[in-house]
Amino acid sequence: MSIQPLLYVRSRALPLTAATLIGIALVAARAADWLQDQPYFDHTARVPVVVLAPLLASSAIGTSLHSHSDELDRTAVRRWWPRRLLHLLALTAVTAGALAAAVPGHPEEFGVPAMVRNVLGATGVAAASAALIGARLSWLPMTVYGGAVYLAAPRAPGGAGAVWAWPMQPGPQGAAWAVAMTAYVAGAALLVVRGVRPERG
């Protein structure tokens, strides 16, 4: 690894972010297993894990985009957008893989497809938030939205709820996937084009 990528990794505290993501995945796996073992619960008991774990992971990814030297980054000779894109894609892939392993089985309900979809959607919202309001607060919009959806989502899947309550939908819901993928692509594009909003203080 050359010195510039190494400096980028250290300046964004990526080792700490990776350790945080692995910790979230381990806790999610334990929680999903414990919930499913409780009496009168089935695979739907993993809904809190499928919603909360991607939310926490996307918060870690969003805050890792913070730069202590954004003015130097913007005046650098080399373009920064490839690094930002690689940063986001690598952490998304690691997170999706680790959290997918936390909820094996029941792919038709709240298993791997639902977890991967929620990782993509939540990370896209975090990336867009980092570009618009700054990396330090990038966790806030998805946290507020995710909490509201968790409390207000309809019990029956599908319909309009598959669009506005996509984090609470079972894995195969096409509309929920469309919203999550749109959020990820739009968030990544916004981050790549605009970069992280500069922060003061």
Side-chain angles (χ1 to χ4, degrees), residues 27-45:
V27 172
R30 181 69 186 100
D33 186 59
W34 181 83
L35 284 170
Q36 202 164 349
D37 286 343
Q38 299 309 299
Y40 309 112
F41 279 136
D42 57 12
H43 54 274
T44 59

Side-chain angles (χ1 to χ4, degrees), residues 38-79:
Q38 299 309 299
Y40 309 112
F41 279 136
D42 57 12
H43 54 274
T44 59
R46 301 190 295 186
V47 170
V49 176
V50 171
V51 174
L52 184 59
L55 195 154
L56 294 173
S58 68
S59 298
I61 293 172
T63 54
S64 76
L65 295 167
H66 174 70
S67 172
H68 294 282
S69 58
D70 56 285
E71 292 179 355
L72 292 176
D73 292 350
R74 292 173 188 279
T75 57
V77 174
R78 291 174 182 253
R79 293 179 295 177

Side-chain angles (χ1 to χ4, degrees), residues 90-160:
L91 289 183
T92 303
V94 168
T95 303
L99 288 181
V103 286
H106 304 293
E108 75 285 358
E109 292 292 345
F110 295 99
V112 172
M115 182 67 88
V116 172
R117 179 202 65 216
N118 286 358
V119 167
L120 291 173
T123 303
V125 173
S129 301
L132 296 174
I133 64 175
R136 290 178 180 173
L137 290 176
S138 61
W139 58 272
L140 186 58
M142 190 61 207
T143 300
V144 172
Y145 177 72
V149 164
Y150 187 79
L151 295 174
R155 289 184 176 273

